[in-house]
């Protein structure tokens, strides 16, 4: 499910992660008071939050590389689309 990568990050760091807000194709058509899509992170310590933030960013970058299908990247870097393993960062 879509929660699996976030659950893995939560187990690794001790911080809770939630996907909040909404995705809008056109920001100009965003309703008044609506919030853009973001990840909310809260944890027992600032270090746990920083570590979770780093892992979420790493996960998003790895996913972007795989899904954007950038030419010149090896299959080892691209991996399977839509899957992220926080243990390996890929």
């Amino acid at each position: 499910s879509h929660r699996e990568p976030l659950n893995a990050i939560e187990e690794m760091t001790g911080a809770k992660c939630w996907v909040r807000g909404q995705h809008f194709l056109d920001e100009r058509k965003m309703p008044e008071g609506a919030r853009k899509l973001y990840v909310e992170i809260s944890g027992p310590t600032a270090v746990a939050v920083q570590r979770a933030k780093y892992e979420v960013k790493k996960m998003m970058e790895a996913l972007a590389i795989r899904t954007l299908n950038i030419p010149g990247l090896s299959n080892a870097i691209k991996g399977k689309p839509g899957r992220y393993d926080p243990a390996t960062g890929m």
Side-chain angles (χ1 to χ4, degrees):
S1 83
H2 70 283
R3 285 284 310 156
E4 287 173 10
L6 293 179
N7 288 339
I9 291 171
E10 289 173 9
E11 287 177 22
M12 245 177 16
T13 63
K16 291 285 186 186
C17 303
W18 295 275
V19 176
R20 304 282 177 144
Q22 292 180 296
H23 171 73
F24 296 95
L25 290 176
D26 188 356
E27 290 182 26
R28 295 172 292 196
K29 295 181 181 178
M30 223 167 90
E32 183 80 24
R35 293 205 53 187
K36 291 184 198 178
L37 199 59
Y38 66 99
V39 177
E40 183 179 310
I41 303 170
S42 65
T45 65
V47 172
V49 172
Q50 283 298 101
R51 207 165 149 225
K53 180 181 173 184
Y54 170 78
E55 291 298 330
V56 167
K57 184 177 178 183
K58 199 163 79 168
M59 173 191 69
M60 291 170 54
E61 287 174 350
L63 185 60
I65 288 170
R66 288 193 306 266
T67 57
L68 290 176
N69 207 10
I70 299 170
L73 291 179
S74 70
N75 285 338
I77 293 173
K78 288 194 283 187
K80 295 180 182 175
R83 293 285 179 209
Y84 172 76
D85 182 1
T88 62
M90 308 253 21

